[in-house]
Amino acid sequence: MERNEILNYLIAKNGYKSYLEIGVAVPGMNYDLINCELKEGCDPYMDCFFDFGFNGADAIEEYKKRVTYLMTSDELFESMPEEKKYDIIFSDGDHSELQTKKDIINSLKHLNPNGLVVVHDVFPRCEEYAREERLSDEWYGCAYKAILDFSKIGGRFACVRQGGCNGVAIIPYQHISEEKEREYFKESEFGWSDYENDTDVKMRVVSLEGYGKKVMIYHNCKYLVNSPSFDRTGKLVYGGTESWVAGIAERLAKYGFNVTVFSDVRLADESEGVKYVTRDSDDLRNHFDVAIITTDIEIANTIDCDRVILAPTCEFFNTNFGAHARAEGVAILSEWQKQQFERVYNIQDWLFFRHFLPCEHHLYDDFENYEKENSMVWSSAPVRGLRFFVERVMPKIKKAVPDFKLYICGYDKNYYESEWPIYVDGVEPMISAGKKELAELQKKSKIWVYPNIGRSETSGFFYETYCITAVENALAGNAIVCLNGKDGIDSTLEGYDGFIDGNMIDEKRNDFMLHYEEVANIMAEYAIEILLDGNIRKALSQQLRKIAEKYTWDKETRIICEKII
């Protein structure tokens, strides 16, 4: 597929009426082949030794007459009225890093809403032709660096490299702040080796037909509507599952998909390219190319959608799972969950694929320099053993470590007052801790308590897996201690030598209370050992850190993106 075919496809698909080409060069190679109602071109003719296909002076003069703006793109944009806008702008001029960046930013300022900037030659064939200076006829410059840096400032784009046109980047209309613009124009830190490693992930490669698909994400979190877990703006301040929904929506939008999130609460600040509506919104009657459903799977049978992907974000997802819901794919979190789907719902012929819950790695880049205190973080549901820990385990820890603190995040103060009329010494409820506050707690704590047990209506006890907070604590340099069993840790952070293995609290045992006390003793002993021995904690945290490095938003988005397209 040639560049003119890509451009004509986008023009026809979106009904575009106005087109600007930066870097016309030989009109017959692309410009003349574009089908658009209004077509303008910009190119500064420069007499040089490169063969651009001109035959004699007459051809050059004819070229000059046909180019709308015989000047540099900088001169064009400087003189262009602010109100002058185009539906689609093709950037194929000077491919040096700085000039490509300038053409992208200037083009976005003269783009209609719903318009596109298309950048050529973003997939250079070899390093020899991917240099700042043009030393040969074949030259792609450093346009790829401009795209990698656009990702770095949070820009939305996707790349297509079908056919033999050296690829294009497709950049939808968006606002770039002055601060981000200044950051963008700094010299790139990326090099050829960065481009070669995980190219499809970093360059957000999609098919041309897949670009711009309408995607809905349906997430039932009605149980949170009446909770006190919101800040003054109404934004949810905690919740691992909700973090995934908001995060994946934002990142799919960055790929150029048109994303609508159906949810009961405002999961995040509204990201450009994402529409947030309630689950009873009239938008649910619209047609979507793809539906990603995390809960209430029965909805899959009532929506107008070409493809349904079930993407559970916790193990108990199967309690809401519709036995006869249609789906083309199921994103399993663990082998255990796959077995549950097969056993309970007899799902064997659907497409299963593995996904995980990533987190913001950059929040924990300096983990070795964090000043740690003798504390733990607990940020899971109270039903998963909080009272057992506070009343049975914590007193034993405080006896050996008097300055020990336990931070409990995300729950109503009334819960603590009803459970413990007088606060337990050392317990510090962090009622309104958002993601940033939680990150600060993780940085100064030494251990995160992994409750690792829950209930399912269809399967009894289960091991919770793939917890975002577990990954975050690993990146923050914490050790993780399991309350019951370590199978959940094995699923979340595969290969971690976590505590405690084989010490389930068995409610059927006759000596239940003695067994309860035995587990409390083991838990306390491990916690004390880690708190007081820095070498043990360091070894565990380093092991965790290495494992957690694969939990990135880029990789998770890529997995989901491939299923969409």
Side-chain angles (χ1 to χ4, degrees), residues 70-113:
L70 196 61
M71 60 184 72
T72 67
S73 57
D74 285 348
E75 291 170 334
L76 170 63
F77 286 120
E78 186 176 352
S79 62
M80 185 178 290
E82 185 178 338
E83 63 273 13
K84 177 79 169 178
K85 308 288 183 181
Y86 297 89
D87 291 329
I88 183 168
I89 299 176
F90 181 49
S91 175
D92 192 22
D94 182 348
H95 285 335
S96 64
E97 176 195 328
L98 178 58
Q99 191 58 49
T100 304
K101 289 179 176 180
K102 289 168 70 175
D103 286 342
I104 289 173
I105 295 299
N106 286 328
S107 294
L108 286 172
K109 293 175 182 178
H110 291 277
L111 199 65
N112 284 321

Side-chain angles (χ1 to χ4, degrees), residues 118-133:
V118 180
V119 183
H120 193 218
D121 288 331
V122 296
F123 291 106
R125 297 179 185 178
C126 62
E127 186 176 7
E128 179 183 356
Y129 302 137
R131 302 180 185 278
E132 277 290 296
E133 295 182 11

Side-chain angles (χ1 to χ4, degrees), residues 392-411:
R392 296 275 180 163
V393 181
M394 189 170 165
K396 303 176 190 297
I397 297 175
K398 284 191 67 68
K399 187 174 181 180
V401 187
D403 62 344
F404 173 77
K405 293 180 181 179
L406 176 67
Y407 295 101
I408 308 175
C409 302
Y411 297 99

Side-chain angles (χ1 to χ4, degrees), residues 387 390-391 394 408 413-429:
R387 181 161 190 158
V390 171
E391 296 184 356
M394 189 170 165
I408 308 175
K413 183 177 180 181
N414 293 332
Y415 170 79
Y416 304 105
E417 293 177 341
S418 63
E419 290 292 307
W420 304 298
I422 300 176
Y423 281 135
V424 176
D425 180 34
V427 173
E428 296 194 18

Side-chain angles (χ1 to χ4, degrees), residues 312-375:
T313 50
C314 57
E315 289 289 13
F316 62 81
F317 174 81
N318 65 311
T319 63
N320 297 320
F321 201 78
H324 304 291
R326 70 185 182 99
E328 286 69 44
V330 180
I332 59 169
L333 292 172
S334 67
E335 188 62 29
W336 178 91
Q337 191 180 62
K338 180 181 177 181
Q339 292 171 4
Q340 289 299 102
F341 289 161
E342 292 174 344
R343 179 179 69 83
V344 179
Y345 300 107
N346 196 29
I347 300 171
Q348 297 177 348
D349 57 348
W350 289 1
L351 171 66
F352 287 100
F353 61 97
R354 189 74 176 262
H355 85 113
F356 51 82
L357 303 181
C359 67
E360 303 289 352
H361 284 55
H362 67 275
L363 294 176
Y364 308 92
D365 286 343
D366 302 321
F367 77 104
E368 291 183 346
N369 299 322
Y370 298 154
E371 294 184 9
K372 297 286 188 178
E373 64 181 19
N374 288 324
S375 62

